[in-house]
Amino acid sequence: MKLPQFELHRPNSVDGASQLLTELGDDASAYSGGTELLLAMKLGLIKSRHLVDLKPLAELRGIELRPGGVWIGAGVTHREIESSPAIRAVLPPLAGMASQIANVRVRAIGTIGGNLCFADPNSDPATLLSALGARLRARVNGESVEFSPEEFIEGPYQTLLRPGDLLLGVWIPALPAGSAAVHLRMKIHERPSVTVAALVGVTRGEVVAARLAVGSVGPKVLQVELGEELRGLSGVGFSTRVRSLMALLAGSIPLLPERPESPEYQRHLVRLLGARALEAGLEGARN
Ligand SMILES: Cc1cc2nc3c(=O)[nH]c(=O)nc-3n(C[C@H](O)[C@H](O)[C@H](O)COP(=O)(O)OP(=O)(O)OC[C@H]3O[C@@H](n4cnc5c(N)ncnc54)[C@H](O)[C@@H]3O)c2cc1C
């Protein structure tokens, strides 16, 4: 596999990058870590003759602890997220999720922005970000706009960005008091086949809020609010209700066609991991 020739552009601002990408249109791609882009170019799946390098742009870098949450620039690598003291302190499940992505070589150059913009369904971040209620900030048509991960990713390898638009970063609210988040995945091949994430909130030992996100099996992340169904439950009552809810959800969730795993197996994994994530969320929120 040979990388086709391309011209590398190094703008010095997000505005400049966006302008270049708009002018060059379909003939250009934004270039962050290149772990997806360069491979897709080698395979002839992307035929960009111009790459606009986002790596040097300070505006897309940095992890900032702000009142109420954490801001992560689109150009931050998985490795930076995994090893950030701020994220480890405030959002440990996010650091844990990042540490499971690929291998250390990919994590050292692959960025959270590149992951979300490539929108490969077999990915981790969008699922956890959805459960955490994260907001993705993008420059769309020159305006700064916010989206949920479920809105941003429209389907496999498809986001709502158009030529010239850029993802700027991700805002993740801090975990509410008395809550815990859990991210689980099942990896059979190189990348996860099923990802689930739960956010469970508890008051005096009983559930007051619960959200589940399921990714990788379907065309996009599915987010479900389960607070009403699980409110006031704990112990065996919680487990029994979770199991019946997960059986319903796993039976009805849309699946991508032509996957190596059978639909039955995928539904089985969704049921199992979904129940485990919610139970672990309850356990974590109580401690
Ligand atoms: C061997 C291997 C294993 C992997 N395993 C996992 C895994 O277990 N879990 C998982 O989640 N992921 C996995 N990945 C995917 C990995 O997370 C991504 O490759 C990486 O995050 C992509 O980031 P990048 O900076 O390299 O993106 P790039 O390759 O630079 O870009 C990807 C796409 O996004 C666009 N883009 C990049 N940044 C922006 C931006 N700011 N605004 C607009 N468009 C942009 C590019 O134009 C391109 O289309 C794996 C990848 C490999 C190669």
Side-chain angles (χ1 to χ4, degrees):
M1 285 189 295
K2 199 162 168 260
L3 190 60
Q5 290 217 322
F6 59 85
E7 191 178 337
L8 188 63
H9 302 261
R10 291 221 158 91
N12 51 21
S13 66
V14 164
D15 278 358
S18 173
Q19 201 178 326
L20 256 173
L21 286 161
T22 307
E23 281 165 18
L24 296 163
D26 288 338
D27 215 11
S29 287
Y31 171 36
S32 291
T35 58
E36 303 284 24
L37 180 64
L38 300 183
L39 186 62
M41 285 172 68
K42 280 185 187 171
L43 293 169
L45 301 171
I46 295 181
K47 298 189 182 350
S48 300
R49 286 187 301 159
H50 300 269
L51 299 189
V52 177
D53 194 359
L54 305 182
K55 283 191 290 296
L57 300 181
E59 294 154 274
L60 301 181
R61 311 275 319 149
I63 295 171
E64 289 171 34
L65 213 48
R66 295 180 184 171
V70 178
W71 168 259
I72 303 179
V76 170
T77 65
H78 302 302
R79 185 83 178 125
E80 287 168 321
I81 294 173
E82 168 190 359
S83 50
S84 155
I87 291 182
R88 282 171 176 233
V90 177
L91 285 165
L94 185 68
M97 179 279 293
S99 74
Q100 293 180 308
I101 292 176
N103 53 58
V104 71
R105 282 172 55 209
V106 171
R107 294 202 295 278
I109 47 171
T111 62
I112 187 157
N115 183 293
L116 293 166
C117 292
F118 197 62
D120 185 323
N122 297 102
S123 294
D124 292 273
T127 307
L128 179 59
L129 292 176
S130 170
L132 292 173
R135 305 290 295 168
L136 276 47
R137 182 164 284 278
R139 193 191 142 105
V140 174
N141 265 331
E143 306 276 326
S144 179
V145 194
E146 271 191 13
F147 306 95
S148 67
E150 315 86 67
E151 290 164 336
F152 182 78
I153 296 176
E154 295 182 322
Y157 310 102
Q158 183 63 55
T159 68
L160 46 69
L161 299 185
R162 300 292 171 260
D165 297 342
L166 288 170
L167 181 64
L168 304 175
V170 185
W171 166 252
I172 309 164
L175 292 175
S179 69
V182 175
H183 178 79
L184 299 177
R185 56 186 333 241
M186 173 77 184
K187 194 179 96 149
I188 301 162
H189 309 283
E190 197 166 55
R191 299 178 59 135
S193 303
V194 180
T195 49
V196 297
L199 177 66
V200 179
V202 159
T203 300
R204 286 183 289 279
E206 292 183 349
V207 175
V208 290
R211 184 187 292 144
L212 186 76
V214 182
S216 306
V217 287
K220 56 188 284 184
V221 173
L222 180 79
Q223 190 205 68
V224 236
E225 292 290 348
L226 295 173
E228 286 303 312
E229 281 82 359
L230 297 172
R231 190 180 303 277
L233 295 177
S234 61
V236 179
F238 176 82
S239 301
T240 310
R241 187 83 183 105
V242 158
R243 267 153 228 286
S244 67
L245 287 171
M246 285 316 304
L248 278 176
L249 181 69
S252 60
I253 193 167
L255 299 178
L256 281 167
E258 293 168 26
R259 295 288 297 262
E261 306 86 11
S262 71
E264 295 72 26
Y265 187 49
Q266 290 179 71
R267 292 190 192 283
H268 167 73
L269 289 177
V270 168
R271 191 158 46 81
L272 200 75
L273 293 187
R276 271 191 202 160
L278 287 163
E279 299 221 8
L282 175 60
E283 185 66 28
R286 279 171 152 174
N287 294 324

